Amino acid sequence: MRLPLALLMALLVLSLPLPAMAQVDDGLATVRLDGRALFRLGGTEELEARLRARQIGRQLLTVLETPQGISRARIAPAGENAEARQITMAGRILMQVTEDDAQANGRALEAQAREWASVLETALAQASTRRTSERARFVTDVRASVDTAFARLLEAAISIVPRALAALLVIGVFWALAASVRAGVRMISHRLIRDRTVENLIKQVSYYTVWLLGLIVAATAFGLEPGTLATGLGLTSLALGFALKDILSNFVSGLLILTLRPFQLGDQIIIGDTEGSVERIELRATQIRTYDGRRVLVPNAETFTSRVTNNTAAPVRRGQVICYLGYEVDLPQVMRVLKEAARGAEGVIAEPPPTVAIREMGQSELAFQVQFWCDSRRSDFMLTASRVRANLIEALRASGIALPGPGVHQVVLREGGSALDEALPRRSSSDED
């Protein structure tokens, strides 16, 4: 139970959309041509660094295809107040160098623009020499695609792997902390709290609270801001709600069961076709030990929405035994004998006292209902009921009251049959002969 829930929490973090995961980047991207790195730059108000670098790369490839060929890069002021420099070549705008770019590299704007213009000129000239023929162009394009893919993969690994290791370290620390908190809560609650269900609730809530805090800290170590994390969870909540509907339903139902406590640990309950003793109440399922020794896990959603019979909600439970006797018996004597026999059975409590009543009048016999109170646990209840039956038989025999035997059978009137209802003696095969 603990591991799947921890994996569920981790899935919520790892299933964030790409805009949230983009926070892992350091804000810089590499401009490439034919897979070769030229320089790194940041983003602007309109474009983030990664998109800006790819846009520049596409412009460089476009210049390579122009009929004018490679010429000298030109630098011109750009912006309303000439706060940027624009680099053009062959009549195409390659990029704009902003004041932020210059400050990030510790240079003046004009000097930064000249440096990048020189780098772009050299890169375009080299790329042009690699495309002297159609075959060379094809080989260059394929190699550039492969080199670019591996370069981006390496950049992502350099950026993400250290953060991922830090996140795993945080998760390991919080795992140990959660285990320590659970053990401490178990020791404290075992001494101060008598209710095992409340102890189980406090133990599980504290354990998973530490886990949740650990995952939040791990996400922060991975590079996700708390606000971005909350936004990402909000964006993915609908899809996760459908995908994890049953798991979340069981989780919420488990919290409600532990809080409302319709039954407790050790209670003997009936849920549908399952009957047994409650061994554990976890956040996903309720563990029941059946009377034949099998362990059954009932999902909490099913437990919470089904009809539950709690046989041990009260310390005592009423049982009953039906005794069939003929019409010829002395009713006051029989009822007195049956009541005294039930009262004397081991396990039957004195208050409330046993009661005897005529339940129904059959065709050839009376049905006496003997009710008694005993311990509500099934083992004691079944054993006490057996003792009551044995005491009834012994008491009836000792009082000389005849018990029903195989010599009499009952004729039952069926719907639409004759009006004859009678009890006839059953003749044995030897009598027929």
Side-chain angles (χ1 to χ4, degrees), residues 37 172 205 207 227 264 284 310 331 375 387 427:
V205 169
Y207 179 81
Q264 302 180 14
R284 189 191 67 85
N310 192 340
L331 293 181
D375 190 285
R387 291 168 178 167
R427 297 172 58 189

Side-chain angles (χ1 to χ4, degrees), residues 100-177:
D100 292 336
D101 295 329
Q103 292 178 0
N105 291 277
R107 303 172 67 92
L109 177 60
E110 195 68 32
Q112 186 64 62
R114 286 197 301 269
E115 178 185 346
W116 281 355
S118 176
V119 171
L120 294 178
E121 285 180 6
T122 304
L124 286 171
Q126 294 174 352
S128 179
T129 59
R130 290 192 292 268
R131 289 168 169 80
T132 55
S133 64
E134 291 298 328
R135 179 177 178 279
R137 182 189 301 273
F138 175 76
V139 173
T140 300
D141 290 341
V142 172
R143 182 178 299 173
S145 299
V146 174
D147 291 343
T148 300
F150 277 100
R152 290 175 180 173
L153 179 62
L154 180 60
E155 287 181 356
I158 294 174
S159 175
I160 293 177
V161 169
R163 301 170 187 266
L165 292 177
L168 290 176
L169 178 61
V170 170
I171 290 177
V173 171
F174 273 87
W175 172 78
L177 181 60

Side-chain angles (χ1 to χ4, degrees), residues 5-19:
L5 185 59
L7 292 177
L8 171 61
M9 294 180 179
L11 180 61
L12 292 175
V13 175
L14 295 178
S15 59
L16 293 174
L18 289 178

Side-chain angles (χ1 to χ4, degrees), residues 206-410:
S206 60
Y207 179 81
Y208 292 116
T209 299
V210 175
W211 255 113
L212 181 60
L213 292 175
L215 289 174
I216 293 175
V217 175
T220 304
F222 191 68
L224 298 175
E225 297 297 331
T228 305
L229 180 62
T231 302
L233 289 176
L235 292 174
T236 57
S237 59
L238 182 62
L240 287 174
F242 282 106
L244 306 175
K245 179 181 63 175
D246 294 336
I247 295 177
L248 294 176
S249 177
N250 290 328
F251 180 81
V252 174
S253 299
L255 287 177
L256 292 175
I257 290 174
L258 290 170
T259 303
L260 300 178
R261 293 192 296 168
F263 49 82
Q264 302 180 14
L265 297 179
D267 282 352
Q268 296 179 354
I269 63 175
I270 303 174
I271 304 176
D273 297 332
T274 304
E275 181 178 1
S277 300
V278 179
E279 286 192 340
R280 291 181 62 87
I281 304 175
E282 297 180 339
L283 294 180
R284 189 191 67 85
T286 299
Q287 180 177 312
I288 298 177
R289 180 72 64 176
T290 61
Y291 299 125
D292 56 1
R294 294 179 297 171
R295 186 177 68 176
V296 179
L297 293 177
V298 182
N300 285 330
E302 178 182 343
T303 302
F304 191 74
T305 57
S306 300
R307 176 181 296 178
V308 179
T309 302
N310 192 340
N311 291 327
T312 54
V316 294
R317 177 182 174 185
R318 188 184 70 181
Q320 67 178 21
V321 173
I322 305 298
C323 181
Y324 296 93
L325 298 174
Y327 278 94
E328 69 278 2
V329 299
D330 185 351
L331 293 181
Q333 178 190 10
V334 168
M335 298 181 75
R336 184 180 64 256
V337 170
L338 294 179
K339 184 181 295 184
E340 292 298 326
R343 181 183 292 112
E346 182 181 353
V348 176
I349 62 177
E351 294 293 336
T355 59
V356 179
I358 299 177
R359 180 173 180 175
E360 63 176 287
M361 300 171 61
Q363 300 294 335
S364 60
E365 56 192 4
L366 297 171
F368 292 87
Q369 178 178 274
V370 182
Q371 295 183 339
F372 57 92
W373 292 84
C374 64
D375 190 285
S376 60
R377 294 187 175 276
R378 178 182 172 89
S379 57
D380 298 333
F381 174 78
M382 299 294 290
L383 183 59
T384 301
S386 176
R387 291 168 178 167
V388 168
R389 293 187 182 94
N391 274 22
L392 295 181
I393 295 174
E394 294 298 329
L396 291 174
R397 287 176 177 173
S399 301
I401 300 174
L403 297 173
V408 175
H409 75 280
Q410 181 174 332

Side-chain angles (χ1 to χ4, degrees), residues 37-105:
L38 304 182
F39 50 82
R40 289 172 64 82
L41 46 67
T44 62
E45 294 181 357
E46 295 79 12
L47 291 175
E48 63 177 1
R50 179 170 51 87
L51 296 179
R52 185 186 178 196
R54 293 185 180 181
Q55 186 182 69
I56 296 172
R58 287 193 295 269
Q59 290 296 99
L60 294 175
L61 292 176
T62 304
V63 170
L64 287 174
E65 304 296 331
T66 57
Q68 297 88 340
I70 307 303
S71 61
R72 186 174 181 82
R74 305 179 66 178
I75 302 174
E80 297 180 357
N81 301 318
E83 70 276 6
R85 295 294 182 269
Q86 184 173 277
I87 302 177
T88 61
M89 181 180 292
R92 292 185 176 274
I93 300 175
L94 299 182
M95 64 175 297
Q96 284 190 357
V97 184
T98 65
E99 190 66 39
D100 292 336
D101 295 329
Q103 292 178 0
N105 291 277

